[in-house]
Amino acid sequence: MLIVIVPFALLFGVVAREAGLDIAQVMGFSVLVLAGASQFTAVQLLSDNAPVWIVILSGLAVNLRMAMYSASLVPWFRGTSGAQKTWIAYTLIDQSYALSIQHYERHPKLTLSQRIAYFSGTAVAICVPWMCASWTGAVLGSVIPDDIALDFAMPITFLAMIAPMLRSAAHLAACFVSIVAALAFAGLPSGLGLMLAAPLGMATGAVVEVLTEKRKRA
């Protein structure tokens, strides 16, 4: 994960500075928002002089997947305190979710404290380098050669997270439908295509899983 997280964060620092943000604003994004895809979306819209409310709504739309992540983590984090929930919500990103949910499914007998400890360790290992690399990109962006294609990091990051989780027909169906829908809706305003593709993929996966269970019972 870190092999692609670092150049991804470097790229954000560079792009944000080129968009006119100062160092404090760049770090405000990476520390407070802490969500790469929505950070890139917001910076791009700011560069296009989009209204602030459009920037905020687009960032929220891109981050709606976090609501799906949260829902799937609920069974594993029942009994957590308010402070623990706040920490988990703040550090819930694609990588901390993907690594944690796979670990919990492989080790279902972990105690609640062990689950929180694993999630926290994963989150710190990912989030701190993200923040540091964002700062490095913002400060040293002008000296990074143009022929170094840092933008390779984004697609590789998501492929590395998704591929190990495609373990059943329901997973594959959900993945296929969401990809097709995302491509079909690619022309819609920023974030809206993903908002439509995500529930379609989830619904497909749920239907396939129900049909698979019925066949097993039959």
Side-chain angles (χ1 to χ4, degrees):
M1 291 295 181
L2 289 174
I3 292 174
V4 290
I5 279 290
V6 170
F8 193 15
L10 285 171
L11 178 62
F12 173 73
V14 174
V15 170
R17 288 289 284 161
E18 290 177 349
L21 276 63
D22 59 31
I23 301 296
Q25 291 168 331
V26 173
M27 294 312 297
F29 261 113
S30 286
V31 174
L32 299 177
V33 179
L34 195 57
S38 65
Q39 290 179 218
F40 275 95
T41 299
V43 167
Q44 181 60 52
L45 290 172
L46 288 172
S47 300
D48 295 338
N49 296 316
V52 173
W53 67 273
I54 291 290
V55 176
I56 294 173
L57 288 179
S58 297
L60 290 173
V62 172
N63 269 355
L64 275 179
R65 67 190 187 283
M66 300 301 167
M68 296 184 283
Y69 295 169
S70 299
S72 70
L73 285 174
V74 167
W76 303 103
F77 285 139
R78 283 198 177 95
T80 52
S81 65
Q84 290 169 331
K85 289 177 181 177
T86 300
W87 163 252
I88 292 169
Y90 171 62
T91 55
L92 179 60
I93 58 175
D94 298 301
Q95 292 79 11
S96 62
Y97 168 77
L99 293 172
S100 295
I101 199 71
Q102 291 180 65
H103 186 71
Y104 300 156
E105 290 175 352
R106 286 196 300 266
H107 306 283
K109 295 184 179 181
L110 292 174
T111 64
L112 178 59
S113 61
Q114 288 173 326
R115 292 173 193 156
I116 295 173
Y118 183 88
F119 182 90
S120 298
T122 300
V124 170
I126 296 294
C127 293
V128 172
W130 168 265
M131 297 173 188
C132 294
S134 294
W135 179 85
T136 303
V139 173
L140 303 178
S142 60
V143 301
I144 297 177
D146 293 336
D147 56 354
I148 296 181
L150 294 175
D151 54 350
F152 82 95
M154 186 182 294
I156 292 178
T157 298
F158 285 97
L159 286 172
M161 291 187 299
I162 294 171
M165 303 180 75
L166 301 179
R167 300 187 301 272
S168 69
H171 293 146
L172 292 170
C175 180
F176 176 77
V177 170
S178 62
I179 290 172
V180 172
L183 292 174
F185 300 140
L188 296 177
S190 181
L192 184 56
L194 292 177
M195 289 175 62
L196 297 174
L200 287 175
M202 288 189 295
T204 302
V207 170
V208 172
E209 189 168 2
V210 169
L211 293 175
T212 301
E213 289 297 324
K214 286 183 178 179
R215 290 196 190 97
K216 289 180 180 179
R217 291 170 187 167

